[in-house]
Amino acid sequence: MIQGVNGLDVHVLEAGHESPGRPLALLLHGFPDLAYGWRHLMPLLADAGYHVVAPDQRGFGRTTGWLAAYDSPLEPFGFLNLTRDALALVSALGYRRTAMLVGHDFGSPVAAYCALARPDVFPSVVLMSAPFPGTPAFPFNTADSEAAPAPPNLAPQRLAAALAALNPPRKHYQQYLSGREANADLWHPPQGLHAFLRAFFYLKSGDWPGNKPHPLKAPTPAELAQLPTYYVMDLDKSMSQTVAPFHPTAAEVAACQWLTEPELAVYTAEYARTGFQGALQLYRVFTDPALNAELRLFSGRTIDVPSLFIGGKNDWANYVSPGALDVMKAKATTRMSGIELIDAAGHWIQQEQPARLAALLLAFSKETGGAQRTGA
């Protein structure tokens, strides 16, 4: 536990901390993960000479100092405050900069804003499983136009109505996870929390044979309807009902070496204790234009430090936002070395294929000089 980090007491897992002066590798998890999700990768990076630190992010696990009620203020869960969490943690650890910054899922936009806001502290960045399409922008060159003031952002409502009008009617998972009922459904599902988490992790992994992702042509309801139901859900079903029919067999569970039953029990125990609302606040921020208004501070800015995107070949998350991968490489970053998709990996790359991931991270760090920077 590290006390007093931007108003939090932060729980971290670390490896390679026994030797002083090592370069810092900071790993930021997503939903519904924990610092524990990096357990297979951390020893590999430590063996390569890094001090590896993975925090439970704000809203998750054993980190405290955040409020979990649905009606509590959402501003602390804004992306810039999560960026401040990361910056404060680097400082609390006694470092001036990271030698490696990796963000997975919701950790990806946090890592992206770290690199945008403080490239001196975060001089390279690796984004995983969630492409970063850039900052929200102010409209350009409108001084002499007579256009009416822009109406409130109705895009989420319009998308919800269009998906509900499909046959069969659907809804976007972000809409569902932003709702008041989501926490109770995930926390106390009919099949039990352990069984729900097993099915959820399985369904988004490379183990589920139904994951055969491909780019979508446009963010239209008809295109989005091609996504699996764990992303574009049946309108009348909860997430626990959505994943229940796909629970792996006993033989498939026994064969899953990247998430054994004792390992899954860690997740079950942590979420049984905390519930999911703290984690779900991130979706509510993400889907609320008013809460993202502060991000326009970076209107027109790009990620100018060396960057890399890593996804799983069997992960639909690469394509959930149609066109985001291309925009990320062409417009949102200026020094992206590549987009790497790892074979036999779904969404949980650091658990499913840690050795392949470590090889990519270490090669990128060597290329950018990260291994030579102690940062202390």
Side-chain angles (χ1 to χ4, degrees):
M1 296 297 297
I2 300 177
Q3 314 294 321
V5 178
N6 195 31
L8 301 174
D9 290 341
V10 177
H11 173 248
V12 303
L13 300 181
E14 56 183 340
H17 54 285
E18 303 86 356
S19 306
R22 287 181 165 216
L24 176 64
L26 182 63
L27 311 177
L28 304 177
H29 70 81
F31 175 88
D33 217 329
L34 301 164
Y36 187 67
W38 301 101
R39 66 195 175 281
H40 300 314
L41 178 70
M42 295 178 70
L44 304 179
L45 298 182
D47 287 346
Y50 288 87
H51 175 198
V52 192
V53 176
D56 281 341
Q57 291 224 70
R58 180 183 294 266
F60 294 82
R62 301 186 183 192
T63 289
T64 60
W66 47 271
L67 299 175
Y70 186 86
D71 294 311
S72 59
L74 290 176
E75 286 78 7
F77 293 89
F79 281 115
L80 295 192
N81 199 43
L82 295 177
T83 300
R84 283 190 286 270
D85 290 346
L87 180 66
L89 179 58
V90 171
S91 183
L93 291 165
Y95 286 87
R96 300 291 183 186
R97 65 189 63 85
T98 55
M100 183 185 295
L101 172 66
V102 185
H104 176 251
D105 188 82
F106 256 118
S108 175
V110 176
Y113 278 102
C114 285
L116 265 169
R118 292 302 301 269
D120 56 325
V121 179
F122 305 101
S124 68
V125 63
V126 178
L127 309 176
M128 289 175 54
S129 304
F132 180 69
T135 62
F138 285 113
F140 182 72
N141 197 20
T142 60
D144 296 325
S145 69
E146 296 183 9
N153 189 332
L154 299 177
Q157 295 95 315
R158 288 174 181 153
L159 178 61
L163 289 174
L166 292 173
N167 185 18
R170 308 280 288 275
K171 63 188 172 193
H172 201 277
Y173 78 108
Q174 291 179 354
Q175 171 196 352
Y176 171 76
L177 293 177
S178 299
R180 186 178 291 274
E181 73 284 355
N183 180 50
D185 170 48
L186 303 185
W187 195 3
H188 304 294
Q191 65 267 51
L193 180 56
H194 191 84
F196 164 71
L197 287 172
R198 172 58 74 185
F200 189 87
F201 277 105
Y202 169 71
L203 202 55
K204 296 187 72 171
S205 77
D207 293 349
W208 185 53
N211 282 327
K212 301 186 187 302
H214 58 81
L216 302 179
K217 295 175 183 176
T220 61
E223 284 289 298
L224 292 173
Q226 298 180 49
L227 291 164
T229 53
Y230 57 79
Y231 275 127
V232 177
M233 305 163 64
D234 291 337
L235 183 63
D236 61 347
K237 288 186 179 176
S238 67
M239 186 62 80
S240 62
Q241 291 170 328
T242 297
V243 304
F246 302 98
H247 194 285
T249 65
E252 288 170 326
V253 170
C256 183
Q257 294 305 300
W258 58 268
L259 185 60
T260 64
E261 282 292 276
E263 288 172 327
L264 182 60
V266 174
Y267 287 94
T268 304
E270 288 297 277
Y271 280 107
R273 186 174 57 80
T274 65
F276 288 83
Q277 193 59 60
L280 293 171
Q281 307 293 53
L282 301 180
Y283 284 98
R284 298 175 63 201
V285 168
F286 192 69
T287 56
D288 188 332
L291 290 170
N292 286 299
E294 65 178 5
L295 300 179
R296 286 192 171 87
L297 176 65
F298 298 98
S299 176
R301 283 293 305 272
T302 52
I303 294 177
D304 298 325
V305 302
S307 59
L308 175 67
F309 180 82
I310 301 175
K313 270 196 181 171
N314 294 11
D315 186 11
W316 274 102
N318 304 320
Y319 310 115
V320 164
S321 297
L325 268 178
D326 294 332
V327 171
M328 176 182 63
K329 194 166 192 325
K331 295 182 179 179
T333 63
T334 58
R335 300 174 67 188
M336 178 158 277
S337 63
I339 294 172
E340 300 280 355
L341 300 182
I342 296 180
D343 286 326
H347 191 61
W348 322 106
I349 305 166
Q350 61 269 47
Q351 300 188 61
E352 297 178 65
Q353 296 292 342
R356 294 183 191 180
L357 175 58
L360 287 174
L361 293 176
L362 294 172
F364 174 69
S365 188
K366 184 177 180 181
E367 174 189 314
T368 60
Q372 280 71 52
R373 290 191 294 265
T374 65

